[in-house]
């Protein structure tokens, strides 16, 4: 359990999302509220995958979005992360109660080499990054390995693509592109990655390692990921549509946010995790985690006003729904159904769930001061929950 000590008072004060609903936070927010889906048929000439449709980020072409410089060997997952963080740092994602005061932005470095872009005040070079993932880019790993096997010699590979094969490439490149020299951490946590990065960021703050942290998660859609999902899924979740994207938010102390003109969107009341060694125990493990979270934050089940569950496919989703019914009883808070709109984003799912809560809070669909519960469940046994209080 990571509770928020009074001396730290962590708040989420800005967020953004690059999603199948669009490249901007505004696209994600409006699309989520409209209830529209994003699944589209895949062109078999372009995609050699076992699925007929997917939820893809529209018009996402790395070199068109980020420019030609330093992007020749950039893979999709890194491009998604770098783009999302660029949007957040430039303040393009902010509006409403979490926004920056008019004229409150200061100059800052943009993409590599500097592009004169403005930057959120108070988000300097000592800002940390905590980014969630599954394995980094499975496509980059498989492509590089294949090249070493089919080439005339094993070392006849493109060395510029080797960094893409390591798990922390997206976080590292994001820091390099945006001149961030604070703690840089990648957490491979599957569906729970978004909540794991939130807990890690809270610990960085409590330990005095970083006052501001950019945290979130990223997932790509590629042929490699599609085939891995196809071969590892159970029969009862084979129909879930895959999605992709990146969701990132700014975590800082309440004092830091006020100093730089950010009112904050939500307080982080606490985060709790558990583990189920056997899939049949996932229901109990998650129910226990949520119960501990509510008890330690002084929140009654009937006080929860919004629920953003993982909507995991198959047995995990059934266990999650059963666990929440066990804890909440007959109480039915507003359900934030992110996966209905953007598909199964796996490692980025919990981050998108948090972004969805923030989006609805910005537009007044979740009243200020409301407890919002975010839950996750991963097929490898990790379960977790976070409680946010909207501002």
């Amino acid at each position: 359990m990571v509770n928020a000590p009074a001396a730290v008072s962590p708040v989420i004060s800005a967020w953004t999302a690059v999603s199948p609903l669009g490249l901007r936070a505004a696209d994600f927010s409006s699309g989520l509220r409209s209830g529209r889906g994003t699944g589209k048929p895949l062109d078999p000439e372009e995609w050699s995958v076992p699925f007929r449709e997917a939820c893809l980020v529209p018009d996402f072409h790395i070199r068109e979005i980020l420019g030609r410089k330093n992007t020749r060997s950039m893979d999709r997952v890194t491009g998604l992360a770098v783009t999302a963080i660029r949007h957040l740092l430039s303040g393009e994602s902010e509006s409403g109660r979490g926004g920056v005061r008019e004229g409150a932005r200061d100059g800052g470095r943009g993409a590599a080499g500097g592009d004169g872009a403005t930057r959120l005040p108070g988000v300097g070079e000592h800002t940390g990054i905590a980014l969630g993932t599954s394995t980094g880019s499975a496509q980059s790993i498989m492509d590089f390995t294949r090249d070493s096997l089919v080439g005339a010699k094993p070392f006849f590979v493109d060395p510029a693509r080797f960094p893409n094969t390591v798990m922390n490439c997206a976080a590292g490149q994001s820091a390099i592109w945006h001149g961030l020299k604070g703690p840089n951490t990648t957490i491979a946590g599957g569906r729970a990655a978004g909540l794991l990065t939130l807990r890690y960021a809270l610990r960085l703050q409590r330990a005095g390692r970083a006052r501001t942290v950019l945290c979130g998660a990223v997932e790509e859609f590629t042929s490699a990921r599609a085939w891995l999902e196809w071969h590892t899924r159970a029969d009862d979740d084979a129909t879930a549509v895959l999605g992709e994207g990146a969701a990132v938010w700014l975590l800082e102390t309440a004092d830091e946010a006020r100093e730089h003109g950010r009112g904050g969107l939500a307080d982080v009341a606490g985060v709790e995790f558990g583990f189920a060694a056997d899939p049949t125990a996932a229901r109990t493990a998650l129910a226990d985690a949520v119960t501990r979270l509510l008890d330690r934050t002084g929140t009654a089940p009937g006080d929860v006003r919004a629920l953003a569950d993982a909507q995991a496919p198959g047995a995990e989703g059934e266990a999650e729904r059963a666990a929440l019914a066990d804890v909440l009883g007959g109480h039915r808070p507003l359900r934030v159904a992110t996966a209905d709109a953007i598909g199964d984003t796996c490692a980025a799912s919990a981050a998108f769930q948090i972004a969805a809560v923030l989006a609805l809070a910005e537009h007044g669909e979740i009243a200020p001061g409301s407890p919002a519960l975010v839950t996750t469940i991963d097929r490898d046994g990790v379960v977790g929950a976070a409680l946010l209080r909207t501002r």
Side-chain angles (χ1 to χ4, degrees):
M1 175 71 179
V2 177
N3 278 320
V8 175
S9 300
V11 299
I12 297 174
S13 58
W15 69 279
T16 194
V18 176
S19 75
L21 290 166
L23 295 174
R24 307 285 178 177
D27 299 324
F28 179 76
S29 182
S30 61
L32 192 68
R33 300 199 316 278
S34 72
R36 67 182 177 90
T38 56
K40 294 183 178 179
L42 294 170
D43 182 356
E45 296 295 324
E46 179 182 0
W47 296 98
S48 177
V49 296
F51 300 105
R52 294 183 178 180
E53 64 175 328
C55 299
L56 304 180
V57 175
D59 302 318
F60 186 77
H61 306 290
I62 293 175
R63 303 193 83 177
E64 292 180 9
I65 293 172
L66 297 175
R68 302 177 65 87
K69 184 177 181 181
N70 298 324
T71 57
R72 180 182 71 84
S73 60
M74 183 178 286
D75 60 15
R76 193 169 181 87
V77 72
T78 301
L80 289 167
V82 170
T83 300
I85 291 177
R86 183 177 75 166
H87 290 174
L88 183 58
L89 292 180
S90 65
E92 295 174 356
S93 64
E94 297 197 345
S95 62
R97 290 178 285 116
V100 179
R101 290 190 312 249
E102 185 68 26
R105 296 193 183 109
D106 56 11
R109 185 181 169 192
D115 62 3
T118 59
R119 168 168 288 187
L120 289 180
V123 186
E125 65 176 13
H126 298 298
T127 297
I129 293 178
L131 191 68
T133 181
S134 289
T135 58
S137 173
Q139 189 69 53
S140 293
I141 295 170
M142 291 186 179
D143 286 348
F144 194 85
T145 301
R146 183 180 183 278
D147 289 346
S148 71
L149 295 173
V150 302
K153 293 184 179 181
F155 50 81
F156 284 177
V157 294
D158 183 354
R161 296 189 180 277
F162 177 74
N164 297 335
T165 67
V166 297
M167 187 178 71
N168 64 337
C169 178
Q173 284 294 311
S174 295
I176 293 170
W177 267 72
H178 302 299
L180 304 176
K181 301 177 183 179
N184 190 281
T185 305
T186 298
I187 297 178
R191 195 176 299 281
L195 293 191
L196 290 168
T197 61
L198 177 59
R199 180 175 69 170
Y200 190 89
L202 290 171
R203 286 179 168 174
L204 285 177
Q205 286 189 335
R206 294 181 66 179
R209 301 287 185 178
R211 292 177 61 84
T212 56
V213 184
L214 299 172
C215 54
V218 61
E219 184 65 88
E220 65 179 2
F221 179 85
T222 59
S223 295
R225 179 190 166 210
W227 281 108
L228 286 172
E229 287 285 343
W230 177 263
H231 287 295
T232 56
R233 282 182 169 188
D235 292 340
D236 57 354
D237 63 359
T239 59
V241 179
L242 295 181
E244 65 171 357
V248 185
W249 58 91
L250 176 63
L251 184 73
E252 58 186 339
T253 65
D255 290 344
E256 192 85 8
R258 282 193 296 270
E259 181 181 344
H260 296 103
R262 291 184 284 272
L265 291 169
D267 297 293
V268 182
V271 186
E272 185 74 42
F273 287 93
F275 181 76
D278 187 315
T280 59
R283 173 179 179 174
T284 301
L286 181 57
D288 289 345
V290 174
T291 300
R292 292 195 304 271
L293 176 65
L294 296 179
D295 288 345
R296 294 181 182 180
T297 57
T299 306
D303 292 337
V304 176
R305 290 291 171 263
L307 170 64
D309 58 325
Q311 295 182 267
E316 289 78 25
E318 293 177 6
E320 182 181 38
R321 289 188 292 273
L324 291 169
D326 292 342
V327 176
L328 299 178
H331 178 53
R332 296 290 183 269
L334 171 68
R335 188 161 182 252
V336 185
T338 312
D340 286 349
I342 62 174
D344 179 7
T345 54
C346 194
S349 60
F352 275 120
Q353 291 164 240
I354 291 175
V357 170
L358 300 175
L360 295 181
E362 270 191 318
H363 290 272
E365 297 186 33
I366 302 176
S370 298
L373 180 64
V374 179
T375 61
T376 189
I377 183 168
D378 187 69
R379 63 189 175 197
D380 288 335
V382 178
V383 301
L387 190 74
L388 308 179
R389 287 198 175 94
T390 58
R391 288 187 158 216

